[in-house]
Amino acid sequence: MPLHQTIQFTPTTQILIWKITESFEELLDKVVLKEKTQLRLNGMKSQMHQRAFLSVRMLIQEMGFTDHDLHYDEFGKPYLSCHNYISITHSHNFAAIIISEETVGIDMELQREKILRIADKFVDREFDYLNPDVLEEYIKKLTVIWGAKEAIFKIRNEKGISFKDHIRVNSFSLEENKTLASLHFDDLVKDFVVYYEEIENFTLVYALEK
């Protein structure tokens, strides 16, 4: 299917979400790839990953850019030829991008019980406000926390940052769709506003540096 959803968050910040229903061949036929990108695509072993990769290029084209405008720095962080910031995510049959004049990060995750087994690897003081007795809410909140930390990590993208030790997500309600978070790394302290929403059984999270 074409574009699943567009969120015009601010006049200078836009989120585009693609639900991947096309075959690999259908997507490949619709995008123009530079040689370096084609080689990267050819090296992917999973067709699901290939389709997500191509769906991101479809989203970029929806915004009026092409693959030739998208680059990656030495740490793998994407950037555009123009001055706008871009962040990319894909999970199973969804892909999403956020493009903004502000510093932004995005993540999308499937809500699943698997996250319960790894919670202690990325959650620290957030356990103080989580209630594991309400299982569905607990899974959803853990997914928001993981997504927030992933989005913030994508913004900073510095070696040595620990989700558990360095990124803190304030208490939040699933109904409010907004919270605050902060990064404490070396002598650096950065604050972020985090937004989140459910799309089918996925959680979309995006963070903006304050």
Side-chain angles (χ1 to χ4, degrees), residues 10-143:
T10 70
T12 59
T13 303
Q14 194 167 18
I15 299 154
L16 282 78
I17 303 157
W18 192 277
K19 188 171 184 179
I20 308 164
T21 59
E22 302 86 351
S23 68
F24 170 76
E25 290 75 18
E26 286 174 314
L27 289 166
L28 186 62
D29 189 53
K30 294 176 182 176
V31 297
V32 177
L33 302 178
K34 57 194 175 195
E35 183 180 356
K36 186 177 181 180
T37 305
Q38 184 67 57
L39 290 171
R40 186 177 170 193
L41 179 69
N42 294 344
M44 294 177 183
K45 296 178 181 178
S46 161
Q47 190 170 105
M48 179 181 281
H49 194 186
Q50 288 178 318
R51 290 165 67 212
F53 186 80
L54 291 172
S55 297
V56 168
R57 271 72 198 163
M58 292 293 293
L59 290 171
I60 289 167
Q61 289 181 180
E62 289 279 346
M63 288 294 292
F65 298 100
T66 72
D67 182 57
H68 292 273
D69 299 308
L70 181 65
H71 311 281
Y72 293 85
D73 66 17
E74 59 184 309
F75 304 106
K77 184 176 180 178
Y79 65 95
L80 293 169
S81 299
C82 66
H83 295 299
N84 283 6
Y85 292 93
I86 182 170
S87 186
I88 293 167
T89 185
H90 46 78
S91 179
H92 298 269
N93 60 325
F94 278 101
I97 63 172
I98 184 168
I99 294 178
S100 179
E101 292 180 6
E102 301 177 67
T103 310
V104 291
I106 194 169
D107 189 54
M108 194 166 187
E109 299 288 340
L110 177 64
Q111 298 165 1
R112 49 185 175 172
E113 288 193 15
K114 179 182 176 182
I115 201 167
L116 301 173
R117 300 198 302 270
I118 61 168
D120 62 348
K121 297 184 184 302
F122 69 92
V123 177
D124 185 36
R125 59 186 64 199
E126 294 88 3
F127 278 127
D128 292 343
Y129 61 76
L130 293 172
N131 181 6
D133 295 330
V134 186
L135 186 60
E136 183 180 356
E137 179 185 279
Y138 187 45
I139 291 170
K140 289 182 177 182
K141 283 196 168 186
L142 284 174
T143 308

Side-chain angles (χ1 to χ4, degrees), residues 169-183:
V169 180
N170 290 11
S171 177
F172 61 94
S173 160
L174 292 172
E175 289 71 35
E176 290 179 0
N177 301 114
K178 177 182 175 182
T179 189
L180 301 175
S182 54
L183 171 69

Side-chain angles (χ1 to χ4, degrees), residues 9 13-15 77-78 84-90 96-108 144 146-157 191-196 203-210:
F9 180 68
T13 303
Q14 194 167 18
I15 299 154
K77 184 176 180 178
N84 283 6
Y85 292 93
I86 182 170
S87 186
I88 293 167
T89 185
H90 46 78
I97 63 172
I98 184 168
I99 294 178
S100 179
E101 292 180 6
E102 301 177 67
T103 310
V104 291
I106 194 169
D107 189 54
M108 194 166 187
V144 170
W146 172 268
K149 295 190 178 192
E150 181 71 43
I152 290 167
F153 179 78
K154 287 179 179 179
I155 291 173
R156 297 305 307 182
N157 204 37
D191 295 316
F192 301 87
V193 186
V194 175
Y195 300 87
Y196 46 91
T203 297
L204 177 73
V205 186
Y206 42 103
L208 288 82
E209 192 171 315
K210 289 183 71 178

